[in-house]
Amino acid sequence: MNTDKRKVVLIGTGMVGMSFAYSLVNQGGICNELVLIDLNKKRAEGEAMDLNHGLAFAKSNMKIYCGEYSDCKDADIVVIAAGVAQKEGETRLDLLKRNTEVFRSIITPVVKSGFDGIFVVATNPVDIMTRVTFELSRFGASKVIGTGTSLDTARLRYLLGDYFTVDPKNIHAYVIGEHGDSEFVPLSQVMLATKRVTGILDDEKSPYTYEGMARIEEEVRTAAYKIIEAKSATYYGIGIALTRIVKAILGDENSVLTVSAKLSGEYGTKGVFIGVPSIIGRNGVKEIVELELTEDEQEKFLASAAVLNDAFDGLGI
Ligand code: NAD
C-alpha cells in the first residue's frame, strides 16, 4: 500500500462510478489522484474534464484524468463499477453472466499492470462479482471487497431512526446476507443505543411493533426496485457508500461496514462472499464481526449464502 500518495482508479464511469467520483471530490481529502477508465474512452475523458472544471470550487486538490490499465500499477484501490445496469423487473442474479464477461476483460489487465492494492466492487450482483474478482485476480481474500449490504444498512438505519425518532447514528443494526432478495435484518441484533430493540417491541405498552419492523425490513429490501421503477437506475446512494468504504481503507479507520467479504468458517460456512459486518482498514478486511444470531436468523443467513453459492457455481469458474 502506497502511503504518501493516495491513488484510486475507477473502472466504469457510468452513473454509479461518476456518483462515486463526484462524492469523492466533494467530500475532499480522501485521495489525491483519481484515474478514470471506461470501455467508452471518450466518455471517461469527458467525465474527467467535467470533474476537473469543478475542482476550483471543491475542498480537495486532486489530480483527475482519464487513464489506462497500466495506471493501476501504483494505485492503492481499484474501484469497479463497470457493467450492465439492472433493468426494470430484472433480478440482480440475471445480470451475472453478462457482467462476468465484462470482468474478465477488466481484472486481467489490472493484475497484469502489477497492481497490489485493494479491489472494491460495486457491480451487480455484487456478492458474486466480488467473488469473481477474487477468483480471477487470485488476490488474498482480505484485499477483495464488495459494497455488499453497506447501502442497505444505511437505508435501514435511516428508516429505523425515523421510526423510533432517534438519530440513526445511535441505532446499531445491520442488513446481512446477499445484496438482493434474500438479504435480511437480524432483529435480535438491533440496538437503540445499548438497548435491544426486541425488548422495546416485547413491551406491551410500547407503540413500536414487530409488524412495524417487518415493514421497514421490506422497504429496505425493495428500495432498489422502487428507485429503478421511478428513475431507471440507482446511483447516488451507492456512490456515497463507495466513498465511505474507500475512506475507511485509505484512512486506516478500522470502521465496521457491512461489505461483501469472504467467509472462512464465520457463520458456519466458508468460501462465499456475502454482506457481513467487517472491520475495514488500510489492508482491506481486517476481521469479520460474527454476530450472535438466533437459530432462525442463522437459517436465513445460510439460505442466503446458498443462493449465492448456487449462482456462483453455475458460472463454472
Ligand atoms: P452505467 O451503464 O451507467 O455504467 C456502466 C459503465 O460501465 C458504462 O460507462 C460502460 O461503458 C462501462 N463498461 C461496460 N463494459 C465495460 C468494460 N468491459 N470495461 C470498462 N468499462 C465498461 O451503469 P451504472 O448505473 O453506473 O451501474 C453500474 C453497475 O453498478 C451495475 O452493475 C449496477 O447494477 C451496479 N449497481 C450496484 C449497486 C450496489 O448496491 N452495489 C447499486 C446500484 C447499481
Side-chain angles (χ1 to χ4, degrees), residues 18 21 33 41 86 95 105 136 151 252 254-255 274 310:
M18 290 318 296
E33 193 168 339
K41 192 164 185 192
Q86 194 174 11
L95 288 169
S105 73
L136 296 179
L151 176 58
D252 196 20
N254 293 325
S255 290
I274 191 163
D310 285 352

Side-chain angles (χ1 to χ4, degrees), residues 12-208:
T13 59
M15 298 308 292
V16 169
M18 290 318 296
S19 298
F20 159 65
Y22 186 68
S23 153
L24 205 56
V25 168
N26 277 298
Q27 291 197 22
I30 297 175
C31 73
N32 39 32
E33 193 168 339
L34 175 65
V35 185
L36 306 182
I37 297 177
D38 198 283
L39 188 63
N40 181 347
K41 192 164 185 192
K42 203 168 173 191
R43 177 173 188 172
E45 279 168 355
E47 295 289 6
M49 280 176 75
D50 201 359
L51 270 188
N52 272 319
H53 295 167
L55 273 183
F57 305 118
K59 277 195 254 172
S60 44
N61 186 14
M62 282 166 73
K63 187 175 163 191
I64 304 172
Y65 57 96
C66 168
E68 308 291 338
Y69 281 107
S70 55
D71 290 307
C72 297
K73 183 180 172 21
D74 60 344
D76 299 297
I77 299 178
V78 165
V79 172
I80 309 179
V84 206
Q86 194 174 11
K87 290 180 199 152
E88 195 179 327
E90 185 180 43
T91 68
R92 290 192 178 96
L93 295 181
D94 288 338
L95 288 169
L96 179 57
K97 290 218 156 109
R98 288 193 286 151
N99 280 334
T100 299
E101 285 320 300
V102 169
F103 270 44
R104 275 191 202 283
S105 73
I106 291 171
I107 307 297
T108 309
V110 170
V111 171
K112 210 169 150 209
S113 77
F115 173 63
D116 188 29
I118 292 162
F119 280 106
V120 178
V121 179
T123 305
N124 274 323
V126 70
D127 302 289
I128 298 166
M129 296 321 299
T130 309
R131 190 164 173 182
V132 166
T133 303
F134 167 74
E135 295 291 342
L136 296 179
S137 68
R138 305 197 173 271
F139 273 33
S142 59
K143 293 170 72 176
V144 184
I145 299 174
T147 51
T149 45
S150 54
L151 176 58
D152 315 69
T153 294
R155 281 176 181 145
L156 173 71
R157 292 178 65 188
Y158 161 73
L159 291 172
L160 288 177
D162 193 45
Y163 186 60
F164 289 105
T165 326
V166 168
D167 184 339
K169 287 193 203 77
N170 300 117
I171 301 275
H172 299 282
Y174 302 104
V175 178
I176 62 173
E178 172 203 9
H179 171 62
D181 299 340
S182 67
E183 70 184 31
F184 71 101
V185 180
L187 199 56
S188 69
Q189 303 298 308
V190 180
M191 304 280 181
L192 195 162
T194 57
K195 204 174 156 70
R196 278 191 196 280
V197 155
T198 45
I200 300 173
L201 302 175
D202 287 336
D203 179 351
E204 281 174 13
K205 282 180 254 135
S206 156
Y208 306 109

